[in-house]
Amino acid sequence: MPAMDPGTLLDKLESGDQELVQKALAEYNQENSQCFFFNAEQREERKRQELEEFKKKKFRDWVPKSDSDYDSDNSEDPDVKQRQKLGELVIKFLNRDLQPSCQMACLETIRILSRDKHALSPFTGRSAIQTLAQYAGLDYSEEMEMPSIPDGESAVEALKGLCNIIYNSVEAQEVAKELRLVCGLARRLKLYNETRSSHESKFFDLRLLFLLTALSVDMRKQLAQELRGVSLLTDALESTLALKWSDIYEVVTDRLAPPLGKEETERVMEILKTLFNITFDISRREVDEEDAALYRHLAAILRHCLLRQCDGEDRTEEFHGHTVNLLVNLPLMCLDVLLTPKVEQGSVEYMGMNMDTVEVLIQFLDRRLDRGHKLRETLTPVLNLLTESSRVHRETRKFLRAKVLPPLRDVKNRPEVGNTLRNKLVRLMTHVDTDVKHCAAEFLFVLCKENVSRFVKYTGYGNAAGLLAARGLLAGGRGEGRYSEDEDTDTEEYREAKPNINPVTGRVEEKQPNPMDGMTEEQKEYEAMKLVNMFDKLSREQIIQPMGVTSDGRLEPLDEAAQKMLQRQESSDLESDSD
């Protein structure tokens, strides 16, 4: 069947006949149900036309524009204008008293049209958003005692359309703030335990709430503060997971239970993402006793999330990723509940503590290291979580050190060579991404109790130099963290090889012949001066800048470092003379 002519479709809508409109829109919706990028075909056609034009003019080189160049000016595109006109007619039609089938067709059309950011103008105004909010059951007023519960497919279609519109339009985000859609969603969220709404209805409520808090700082604050969003969403999380508690901060977790269902997993991940949005600054401020209890309660639920599996490895990985992201936001003082559950049969025990959660996190880290994809987004959250937990929980640090930095036995290979966790993390210490490099180095430094000699021992001075320079520790010593004074235990292999280990590379190097063997003193002096002149030339041409280590362990240009050293020496000599 040939596609319906756009002009014919618009004529049918303008006729106002419900039955005619419903059939026309149903046909349009079916034709475009899988169309997510309206301008893709147009872009390809314009590229093809330009290429043909260039061939006719016999231009030798033709470089196609980027997709954004073709998308940048769509205001006069006739197809875009027709979609805008269609949108105007459909949203206007929705304000009439319609049969359910016609309502559904109109809302489906809006969902499809709202995928096109260039044709959004009919849907971003206050009247349009308010109409869709009413169909979704989200119209909010202070006088409303009970929020409306969405009923049927029409409400879900309205929610889907709102999600697309809010995502694609800043103007719509501002209107959503004025209409207090977050308040309507929050009110409805409170009743989820008492209502039998469909999964789709709950899911798109949560998806819309996530988008509003992700895209608007004001709505994020509104949910977090005015609407007590953390408590509200924690209750929703607990309800969705159907949790049972064995103690105040301990969820009953059956490690042999079936994987979490697909629908529950989808809703839980939306809740976790929204909680992340509204808690991102919590760890940077003081929390009172009441809030601390709430965050401990949430942390206990997140522990349960880490120990649960979903349907499929990729889905479990995604689920655990959102859980880790949220744990990073919580105050460190509240993460003690990750270790407090009683040790049971099958638990990972260390120093009398239940290390199940830490074991899951270290396995999660290892998998992310192996994937090597988008390391800043996927790796830095779990590294930060493990680093900060190690700072404040001695048992966690010692357990992680046993896993990541066991006593050294391999001294023949460089620290970055191999497939152990230590090798993988040391490789990241010279990564091109500064955040990734810093996080990996900081984690290993904390596991070494911020002791420079121990850090160099496990990573090599060359790999460690970046962090040590940033911390002012190039001259040795230790960081500012407070740790116990237990001794580092060396293996027999390490003790035997220690005198021959090159501290820069962190391994035993083969002895190299002395290049000056057989040279006369004059030849040696000539080669030395030749090297000095080469360095001087490179320095004068600003290709390199010789640096020196100051007394406080920081790098400075060599002439400045030498000058400071001379001043200190002169000051010391004066003090000696005065004595």
Side-chain angles (χ1 to χ4, degrees), residues 307-373:
L307 300 179
R308 287 299 305 270
Q309 299 293 309
C310 302
D311 189 12
E313 288 184 13
D314 289 343
R315 183 50 65 96
T316 300
E317 190 80 6
E318 184 183 2
F319 177 48
H320 287 174
H322 291 308
T323 305
V324 168
N325 290 344
L326 181 52
L327 276 168
V328 173
N329 284 358
L330 300 188
L332 281 173
M333 59 180 285
C334 300
L335 298 186
D336 53 356
V337 300
L338 300 180
L339 306 179
T340 53
K342 296 180 289 293
V343 176
E344 299 174 347
Q345 187 175 0
S347 296
V348 178
E349 180 184 358
Y350 188 81
M351 297 177 68
M353 306 293 288
N354 186 321
M355 289 289 169
D356 287 345
T357 310
V358 186
E359 177 72 14
V360 169
L361 288 172
I362 203 71
Q363 292 172 0
F364 178 82
L365 170 66
D366 200 13
R367 289 194 299 273
R368 290 280 166 107
L369 285 166
D370 287 341
R371 290 190 177 192
H373 179 62

Side-chain angles (χ1 to χ4, degrees), residues 405-469:
L405 299 177
L408 269 181
R409 298 184 186 280
D410 179 12
V411 291
K412 294 182 179 179
N413 294 309
R414 290 173 178 263
E416 65 268 26
V417 175
N419 292 313
T420 67
L421 268 171
R422 165 179 164 250
N423 302 141
K424 295 172 187 177
L425 288 165
V426 172
R427 281 199 288 274
L428 291 183
M429 292 171 67
T430 52
H431 196 274
V432 293
D433 189 298
T434 306
D435 288 342
V436 172
K437 177 169 63 176
H438 171 77
C439 285
E442 190 74 15
F443 178 48
L444 294 176
F445 193 48
V446 169
L447 293 189
C448 293
K449 298 195 291 189
E450 303 188 27
N451 181 296
V452 171
S453 60
R454 188 177 297 179
F455 184 51
V456 170
K457 166 185 165 182
Y458 282 101
T459 66
Y461 193 83
N463 293 313
L467 180 138
L468 298 181

Side-chain angles (χ1 to χ4, degrees), residues 193-347:
N193 290 344
E194 305 167 20
T195 60
R196 294 185 177 180
S197 302
S198 67
H199 159 69
E200 274 205 319
S201 172
K202 291 180 178 180
F203 174 79
F204 283 104
D205 269 0
L206 293 167
R207 170 60 60 85
L208 182 57
L209 191 60
F210 162 69
L211 289 171
L212 292 172
T213 54
L215 298 169
S216 168
V217 174
D218 291 336
M219 285 187 276
R220 193 181 308 154
K221 289 179 180 177
Q222 184 181 28
L223 180 60
Q225 298 168 14
E226 177 188 333
L227 302 171
R228 296 191 58 79
V230 175
S231 177
L232 185 66
L233 288 161
T234 300
D235 289 345
L237 187 60
E238 188 173 346
S239 170
T240 306
L241 292 166
L243 299 182
K244 295 179 181 178
W245 297 81
S246 61
D247 206 340
I248 184 171
Y249 295 128
E250 186 172 348
V251 178
V252 177
T253 304
D254 181 2
R255 301 289 292 273
L256 300 177
L260 196 61
K262 179 177 180 290
E263 292 182 351
E264 288 79 6
T265 302
E266 288 178 346
R267 296 204 302 273
V268 166
M269 288 199 291
E270 293 304 313
I271 294 171
L272 293 175
K273 292 188 306 187
T274 307
L275 277 166
F276 175 84
N277 289 344
I278 64 174
T279 59
F280 78 100
D281 65 338
I282 284 173
S283 60
R284 294 193 291 272
R285 54 185 169 86
E286 293 291 327
V287 294
D288 58 28
E289 192 173 330
E290 182 183 352
D291 284 341
L294 172 60
Y295 298 136
R296 279 197 169 89
H297 183 77
L298 176 55
I301 298 175
L302 296 180
R303 179 185 185 275
H304 173 81
C305 291
L306 284 175
L307 300 179
R308 287 299 305 270
Q309 299 293 309
C310 302
D311 189 12
E313 288 184 13
D314 289 343
R315 183 50 65 96
T316 300
E317 190 80 6
E318 184 183 2
F319 177 48
H320 287 174
H322 291 308
T323 305
V324 168
N325 290 344
L326 181 52
L327 276 168
V328 173
N329 284 358
L330 300 188
L332 281 173
M333 59 180 285
C334 300
L335 298 186
D336 53 356
V337 300
L338 300 180
L339 306 179
T340 53
K342 296 180 289 293
V343 176
E344 299 174 347
Q345 187 175 0
S347 296

